[in-house]
Amino acid sequence: MAEGKGSRGAVIFLHGSGDNGKDFRSWLLSESNGTFEKTLSDASLLLLTPSAIPIQYSLLGGQKSTVWHDRKGLGLDEWEDVDGIARSRQYLEEACVTVLERQGIPRSRIVIGGFSQGGHMALHLAEQKGKSEKNTYAGCFVMSSYLHKSSILYNREQGGISNETPLLMTHGSADSLISPKWGINTAERLKSLGKKLDFKLFQGVDHSLSCKSLDEVLGFVLRIFEGIEHKESK
């Protein structure tokens, strides 16, 4: 992991199912023509792209794959692997968040995001309501993802959604794997719970990163840190 000392903050960007941190970082580089990481670096922000630990994945017939949690199907009504999500939450807390905190970057200066299943995991890591303000992250972005209808993030008795963490959701209108309707449904349900968020639908974009969506994420991240520093300067 890169040294965090002297950095304004960090962005943890989680890959989709079957990918890994190294290849995902290369994909980011390619799709953004190198501007994504450079823009963050020029703003003194670290970029972390951790890899999921390989587990048996039901959608691949039980074969091992680098996924954040198991899935038995895709769709709003499908089963959610609560235990697997909890294990990945703990792993990411220990492997990334705690290490950054030791280097002087608090959670309040960490933005967590992800693509596809990584976006789903980012929601559970950054947006699940914490027990105190120290557990609040700077922001969360979710690309081409959604929550199941029975998600614990909709259940106030199980913690529910944090209203403190800014949230950006993006989706491609032509997404052939994760229906944009699922993303829209997620955004609307979260809003009904009082969650403030921005949802951006990009016309003609399939289940992929795009320059426009990555530019939207960069703007979101930079505005967050500008807001943090403006607030601290008062």
Side-chain angles (χ1 to χ4, degrees), residues 60-166:
L60 290 179
Q63 295 181 44
K64 282 197 170 183
S65 183
T66 46
V67 293
W68 300 106
H69 54 79
D70 195 15
R71 270 182 172 158
K72 295 181 179 179
L74 296 175
L76 295 174
D77 296 312
E78 294 292 339
W79 165 80
E80 185 168 79
D81 181 14
V82 176
D83 291 339
I85 291 169
R87 283 192 294 271
S88 280
R89 273 176 58 90
Q90 182 177 356
Y91 161 65
L92 289 166
E93 290 269 0
E94 294 173 353
C96 299
V97 180
T98 300
V99 174
L100 287 170
E101 288 179 321
R102 288 173 182 165
Q103 294 181 0
I105 299 177
R107 293 171 195 238
S108 59
R109 282 183 171 267
I110 298 174
V111 175
I112 298 175
F115 171 76
S116 196
Q117 195 192 61
H120 184 254
M121 192 63 231
L123 269 172
H124 281 275
L125 180 59
E127 293 287 352
Q128 190 166 331
K129 195 171 183 180
K131 295 180 180 179
S132 67
E133 288 187 4
K134 72 176 184 178
N135 291 323
T136 301
Y137 290 90
C140 178
F141 61 90
V142 177
M143 307 178 75
S144 304
S145 195
Y146 68 101
L147 290 174
H148 301 285
K149 285 183 178 179
S150 60
S151 175
I152 61 173
L153 291 180
Y154 295 138
N155 191 328
R156 296 186 188 280
E157 293 181 1
Q158 293 179 289
I161 194 80
S162 168
N163 287 324
E164 303 299 321
T165 308

Side-chain angles (χ1 to χ4, degrees), residues 24 26 36 41 50 54 119-120 130 132 164 174-175 184 191 193 200 204 219:
F24 184 65
S26 295
F36 191 87
S41 178
H120 184 254
S132 67
E164 303 299 321
D175 195 322
I184 292 169
K191 286 179 179 179
L193 295 173
K200 303 291 184 180

